[in-house]
Amino acid sequence: MLQFLIRRLIGAVVIMFLIGAFTFFLFYTIPQDFAELSCGKNCSPENIAVIRENLGLDKPITAQFWEFMRGIVAGRDFAQGHCPAPCLGMSFDSGEFVWDSILDRFPLTLSLTVGGLVIFLLVGLGAGLLAAWKRGTAADKAVSGASIVLSSFQIYFLGPIVLGIVVYQTGWMENPSYQPFTENPFAWAAGMVIPWAVMATIFTAQYTRMSRSTMIEQLQEEHVRTARAKGMRQRYVFFRYAWRGSLIPIVTILGIDLSALLSGAVVTEFTFDLAGIGRLAVDSSLTKDLPVTMGVMLFGAFFILILNIIVDLAYAYIDPRVRLS
């Protein structure tokens, strides 16, 4: 297990380096004067020259790339001060360090992502197990039909409808907002429940169908039929043998869907006007704040890599037949 973890971490470092190199050369080869973008409109040539020197834009592209990568590991010096590691540059628009902006927005995005993940896994897997347990009954048909209908919705379509009904028309709930969990856990949950429900709805439908189909397949496996033939209780066989085996393909798809979950968080934040990392990425792209856009891309890639490593480690726990070495 330790060797597997070390290999994955080394692989993650290599992948992050390649992503960083690709992102850097993708943005810095754009025919656009970054010093002019940083200075803004009506900026004198003298100021542009000073900004170009302060940002190191007067150096060769290879030297700029080295400074960028070295800043991530060891920090970087700007005219405004020292940017500690991991330094992802300085915002053209606000003048703040990109890493500080990301850390300021990350708790909201993390709350939104984790909350939606927990809801759609609990509801989706639970509904799929119920449908498989009651296969062919009215409950199975109702769950399957509902999952088909819900899978056709999109966040940007469902979000305004939910807001219009439960916030503006009926007043049952307050407009979504973010309050740090450490300050007030109840206000934190109350402000995020609508975004959680909307984002989870799309994924719940997918995982309901998936868990139902994988559970039905597992119930046909030889080891499950052998357990039944030995006289074991149906409920014990269902949860002890079939359920754990059905989780393997679900965990595999979950690892692939992590990027879709983050993109769903971006759309959700924009729909409900929440100031998370997704909204930061959208705003930076609209204002051509390239350092922030690059920083968000690198941070998102790092976040997905870490979550995929956690998913791989979960294999050994879910299925004892899997050995990571």
Side-chain angles (χ1 to χ4, degrees), residues 271-286:
T271 301
F272 295 102
D273 196 23
L274 298 173
I277 293 181
R279 187 59 183 266
L280 180 65
V282 173
D283 293 341
S284 64
S285 63
L286 294 176

Side-chain angles (χ1 to χ4, degrees), residues 8-60:
R8 286 305 306 268
L9 291 176
I10 294 175
V13 171
V14 174
I15 293 174
M16 285 302 302
F17 175 81
L18 295 176
I19 293 175
F22 175 78
T23 304
F24 179 87
F25 287 106
L26 176 66
F27 283 102
Y28 276 79
T29 54
I30 296 176
Q32 179 71 53
D33 190 345
F34 293 156
E36 184 177 347
L37 284 176
S38 178
C39 191
K41 298 180 180 180
N42 303 322
C43 191
S44 65
E46 292 78 10
N47 289 337
I48 293 178
V50 172
I51 292 175
R52 185 178 291 111
E53 181 180 357
N54 291 337
L55 295 178
L57 300 176
D58 55 339
K59 300 178 181 178

Side-chain angles (χ1 to χ4, degrees), residues 117 120-130 132 203-218 238 242-258 307-308 311-312 314-315 318-319:
L117 175 69
F120 78 69
L121 283 180
L122 290 178
V123 178
L125 297 183
L129 290 177
L130 175 63
F203 292 93
T204 296
Q206 174 186 352
Y207 280 83
T208 297
R209 299 196 308 271
M210 189 186 312
S211 60
R212 177 186 180 276
S213 61
T214 55
M215 177 58 76
I216 291 176
E217 291 177 3
Q218 285 295 316
F238 189 88
W243 181 67
R244 293 189 67 173
S246 68
L247 289 179
I248 292 295
I250 293 175
V251 170
T252 303
I253 299 300
L254 178 61
I256 299 174
D257 282 346
L258 291 176
L307 290 179
N308 273 279
V311 168
D312 289 341
Y315 283 136
I318 294 174
D319 191 348

Side-chain angles (χ1 to χ4, degrees), residues 150-293:
L150 294 177
S151 63
S152 63
F153 288 110
Q154 295 297 327
I155 295 175
Y156 55 81
F157 172 76
L158 184 61
I161 294 178
V162 174
L163 279 179
I165 295 176
V166 303
V167 175
Y168 302 124
Q169 290 188 1
T170 61
W172 291 340
M173 303 185 68
E174 297 291 334
N175 205 45
S177 61
Y178 175 72
Q179 177 114 5
F181 177 82
T182 54
E183 294 182 4
N184 191 332
F186 296 102
W188 168 78
M192 300 295 291
V193 65
I194 295 178
W196 282 342
V198 171
M199 187 173 70
T201 297
I202 313 302
F203 292 93
T204 296
Q206 174 186 352
Y207 280 83
T208 297
R209 299 196 308 271
M210 189 186 312
S211 60
R212 177 186 180 276
S213 61
T214 55
M215 177 58 76
I216 291 176
E217 291 177 3
Q218 285 295 316
L219 290 173
Q220 307 302 320
E221 293 289 336
E222 292 184 2
H223 67 282
V224 175
R225 290 184 295 183
T226 301
R228 286 174 172 171
K230 290 182 177 181
M232 295 183 181
R233 291 181 301 173
Q234 178 72 12
R235 181 174 301 178
Y236 180 82
V237 173
F238 189 88
F239 289 101
R240 178 63 178 83
Y241 293 97
W243 181 67
R244 293 189 67 173
S246 68
L247 289 179
I248 292 295
I250 293 175
V251 170
T252 303
I253 299 300
L254 178 61
I256 299 174
D257 282 346
L258 291 176
S259 57
L261 185 63
L262 285 179
S263 63
V266 172
V267 178
T268 304
E269 289 175 9
F270 198 80
T271 301
F272 295 102
D273 196 23
L274 298 173
I277 293 181
R279 187 59 183 266
L280 180 65
V282 173
D283 293 341
S284 64
S285 63
L286 294 176
T287 58
K288 297 183 180 180
D289 197 346
L290 299 184
V292 176
T293 305

